[in-house]
Amino acid sequence: MRWLQFTKRLMPQIYVSAVVAFLASPVGAIPASFTDIGAIGAPGVFTFDTSGSVQTPDSIAPGFDVDTELGIWSADGTLLAQDDDGGTGIFSQITIALGPGTYFFGISEFSSLFEANFVNASTAFETGEIGDLQLNVNGVLAGNAIAGSDGTTTATEETAFFRATVAVPLPATLPLVLAGLAGLAFMSRRKQI
């Protein structure tokens, strides 16, 4: 019964905390569309590359590698890094240390001009060109998406965006510690009754 009373008193504080957290979250624009690749690991150094990105059969140069440009933004729209040919051949590659948080990765064709707030200020893909753009994380395929400029397909975006999360994993012992603390609190309450 006391637990129920305690919970009822705590509820307004929980609601206020949730509203404050929502209002404190980043307010920058996000890409209109993106592929969510989920959690990519714990904080640390990551290597992102575009190896395997190709022009599609609907394109004017089917089967050829796309000369990619890669950009990385934080969730608030800050451009953290960009690269043209840092990988093998004409593929892009960025090695960067990332802390906990949400990040967006944009891939387009050579001569892109990435800016803050997920903007590509250049029209890299020419009319009729579309690409199947591939994002790899630490050498493993994380996702692919179509981008380009071709009126006969749904590829109308100059940049293919991907969203990923870097998370701090919970220690395996945390549930046991929390259960122990709950047990101690219960025993303490029981002695007081």
Side-chain angles (χ1 to χ4, degrees), residues 51-144:
S51 298
S53 298
V54 295
Q55 292 184 330
T56 73
D58 291 331
S59 181
I60 59 176
F64 284 83
D65 293 340
V66 175
D67 186 354
T68 58
E69 192 102 20
L70 173 65
I72 301 176
W73 291 263
S74 59
D76 67 358
T78 302
L79 180 63
L80 302 176
Q82 62 181 320
D83 179 69
D84 176 20
D85 293 334
T88 304
I90 58 175
F91 293 123
S92 308
Q93 179 174 302
I94 296 174
T95 300
I96 187 172
L98 296 178
T102 299
Y103 299 90
F104 288 90
F105 306 86
I107 306 173
S108 192
E109 194 175 36
F110 165 72
S111 82
S112 290
L113 181 59
F114 294 133
E115 297 178 353
N117 295 318
F118 318 105
V119 170
N120 184 352
S122 174
T123 51
F125 282 101
E126 297 174 7
T127 302
E129 288 184 325
I130 60 174
D132 185 356
L133 304 174
Q134 186 168 305
L135 179 66
N136 306 292
V137 181
N138 296 334
V140 177
L141 174 65
N144 64 304

Side-chain angles (χ1 to χ4, degrees), residues 11 16-17 20 34 37 42 51-52 55 60 63 89 137 148 173 175:
M11 287 311 255
V16 168
S17 297
V20 168
F34 54 84
I37 58 176
S51 298
Q55 292 184 330
I60 59 176
V137 181
T173 56

